[in-house]
Amino acid sequence: MPISEFALIERFFRHVGVRRADVRLGIGDDAALLAPAAGCDLVATVDTLVEGVHFPAGSPAASIGHRALAVNLSDLAAMGARPAWALLSLTLPEPRESWLEEFSAGFSALARTHQVALVGGNTTSGPLCISVQVLGHVPSGRALLRSGGKAGDTVFVSGTPGDSAAGLRLELGRLKDTSEAAAYLRERFLYPAPRVALGERLRDFASACIDVSDGLLADGEKLARASGCGVRMLHADLPVSESLVSVVGDDTARRLALTGGEDYELCFAVRAADVPRLMAELPPDQWAYRAIGALREVPGASVIAADATVMDFSHSGWDHFGA
Ligand code: ADP
Ligand code: MG
């Protein structure tokens, strides 16, 4: 006998994430009652993942649950906000208990890591599609925006972008490799780690911030444009992982770092005068970020090679011109 909607919610969603004192009423009534923190702005975001579009058909259910929450936590991280509450709208073809169990466990583990409570949602049948909304807080007026950068600001990125794009190609079988490095890259795609703690700390340092979902080059350009600038990135300074280089080679690793996407890392700008303080208080090795370039007045995004020539990544690959 198929599980009833009521039993499904009770069993798989009632106790997801943490319990929070600021949840007056969670799952079970017509809507949740939440008590926003005093002196804070409420920060809200929503993202939808569709099977076959945002993740390969047949992905592990735990990964789908993890990613559906992670992409939203990453948006909050980019605002310098602390997440608190999530809502989940789940459309699924059939309520398979083993799938629901894993999905819920994947979602819940990440929710616990970030002290998030699942406070409501909706369940319907149809093609697999997951929509998650996350709400959080930032001290009033202190959110990180894309628009605060200025020409001359140093641009940084967290983590090792490109890993996730390679992981997705491995998942899809478009790249074949059974090494430990390849397993690590798949993991990076399936279970991205949103940089929530870094985002919060960056409120004291960054002039502008964005999370990298469409590729470092495209998202770096979005930050620059919102700030009324362009951005210059140094090809040799891109932080590519050893795993990525060992699987795809150095050139492709750097191309994926720039254009791959799904990284859920933070790209942020810091006034040159604030860089020493940033480095001292958030040691780059410990916080995993690196300077990759600077904002400048010339609009657009360009990548500079080690020999100082401009590289073109506007197509699928890059052309070296002027050399
Ligand atoms: P309504 O029809 O009034 O929207 P439902 O019967 O759909 O209410 O849902 C009952 C309760 O279960 C509500 O509190 C709702 O937020 C919650 N809920 C439903 N589906 C989910 C889900 N997938 N995850 C979390 N909470 C859910
Ligand atoms: Mg109702």
Side-chain angles (χ1 to χ4, degrees), residues 13-39:
F13 298 111
R14 170 81 98 172
H15 304 290
V16 164
V18 297
R19 293 167 74 98
R20 293 179 59 102
D22 56 12
V23 179
R24 301 280 181 261
L25 191 61
I27 290 172
D29 212 308
D30 290 310
L33 292 176
L34 308 170

Side-chain angles (χ1 to χ4, degrees), residues 5-6 8-10 12-14 16 25-32 86-92 100 103 107 118-124:
E5 189 186 322
F6 174 80
L8 182 155
I9 295 164
E10 195 57 32
F12 299 110
F13 298 111
R14 170 81 98 172
V16 164
L25 191 61
I27 290 172
D29 212 308
D30 290 310
L87 294 120
L88 164 66
S89 179
L90 181 60
T91 306
L92 73 172
L100 282 160
F103 174 88
F107 190 108
L118 182 64
V119 298
N122 187 50
T123 309
T124 50

Side-chain angles (χ1 to χ4, degrees), residues 1-3 11-12 94-102:
M1 197 185 80
I3 185 168
R11 181 159 157 212
F12 299 110
E94 37 156 9
R96 263 186 32 232
E97 294 184 30
S98 61
W99 191 94
L100 282 160
E101 188 84 56
E102 285 173 39

